[in-house]
């Protein structure tokens, strides 16, 4: 792939779009960020600011707040939360770019997205996390074995655009994995997020051992129930290591989640701005997961002791 010829747009300048933009810019690619309001102003005035090794750095990036239909990119990456994904795709409906990569959870399937953008749709899931504080990106990196960017065609075929995307990630030194069943992967990931985050934000503050213990048990029981439910719906659990969750004793998982609840990552996730936004996404994910299971005549059996 030629960095001079190919153009990439990240539709959404939050954590995910900003992180990928930095990596691709550093690799020499032509990258543009789509942003609005204060984020657009900040990027124009200060560049893309991010924290690295304790210091705040800045990198220049092309930024737009309006996308014309004839402004064509080789790939448009939709890097918004799930609850905003449909509105983002509607904004891209008439743009002439041929490849639209959605980088978010999806617990219900792709029919509504396909109705909007057709076979331009290419589902994916990001390999980064983090927060933006006062305009500065604080990235959160997980081990590469569980944090690789996942993508694949809906039908599982390794097409030319999949190969091109793989070359892009390889050049940018970004871990990636090509999936044969993105729907199964995204439904499984949605289930784990719903189980872990819905109780986290509903409890508001996880500070004492008693509260942490109760919340951990709720996560354990809910995660197992949802994993069994999607299996009944014919969904293959992916990543496969989550199948082990069904075999682990509840007490073992409780201890794991109690430890997780006390990490800095969770404390950051409890901050008001992050928590409010995340809660909107989790509500939408949960509602759509229930719709998916209902369509398959399945009701999760959740019994918290």
């Amino acid at each position: 792939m030629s960095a001079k010829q190919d153009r990439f747009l990240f539709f959404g300048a939050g954590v995910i779009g900003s992180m990928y933009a930095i990596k691709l810019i550093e690799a020499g690619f032509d990258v543009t960020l789509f942003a609005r309001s204060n984020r657009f102003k900040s990027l124009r005035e200060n560049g893309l600011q991010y924290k690295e090794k304790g210091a705040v750095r800045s990198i220049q990036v092309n930024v737009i707040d309006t996308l014309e239909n004839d402004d064509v990119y080789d790939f448009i990456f939709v890097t918004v939360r799930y609850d905003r994904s449909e509105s983002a795709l509607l904004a891209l409906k008439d743009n002439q770019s041929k490849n639209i990569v959605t980088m978010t959870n999806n617990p219900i399937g792709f029919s509504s997205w396909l109705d909007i953008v057709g076979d331009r749709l290419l589902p994916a899931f990001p390999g980064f996390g983090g927060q933006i504080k006062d305009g500065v990106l604080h990235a959160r990196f997980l081990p590469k074995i569980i944090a690789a960017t996942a993508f694949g065609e809906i039908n599982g075929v390794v097409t030319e655009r999949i190969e091109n995307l793989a070359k892009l990630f390889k050049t940018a030194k970004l871990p990636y994995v090509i999936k044969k069943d993105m729907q199964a992967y995204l439904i499984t990931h949605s289930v784990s997020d719903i189980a872990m985050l819905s109780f986290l934000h509903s409890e508001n503050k996880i500070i004492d051992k008693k509260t942490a213990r109760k919340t951990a048990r709720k996560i354990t029981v809910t995660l197992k129930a949802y994993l069994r439910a999607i299996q009944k719906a014919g969904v293959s659990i992916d990543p496969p290591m989550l199948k082990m969750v069904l075999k682990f004793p509840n007490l073992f998982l409780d201890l794991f989640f109690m430890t997780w609840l006390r990490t800095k990552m969770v404390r950051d996730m409890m901050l008001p701005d992050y928590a409010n936004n995340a809660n909107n996404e989790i509500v939408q994910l949960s509602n759509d997961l229930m719709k998916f299971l209902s369509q398959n005549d399945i009701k999760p059996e959740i019994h918290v002791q």
Side-chain angles (χ1 to χ4, degrees), residues 129-131 133 140 193 196-198 200-201 204 260-261 263-279 282:
Q131 291 175 273
K133 301 177 183 177
R140 184 170 63 246
D193 275 3
M196 294 173 70
L197 299 181
S198 58
L200 178 65
H201 296 304
N204 291 323
W260 174 72
L261 287 167
T263 61
K264 182 180 184 301
M265 178 178 73
V266 170
R267 289 198 300 271
D268 288 343
M269 290 163 64
M270 296 298 291
L271 295 173
D273 287 347
Y274 185 98
N276 291 337
N277 290 332
N279 187 59
I282 292 300

Side-chain angles (χ1 to χ4, degrees), residues 65-82:
D65 62 354
T66 302
L67 179 64
E68 302 297 336
N69 292 338
D70 59 355
D71 187 9
V72 178
Y73 296 84
D74 293 270
F75 286 93
I76 294 181
F77 297 88
V78 180
T79 49
V80 300
R81 299 193 316 265
Y82 176 68

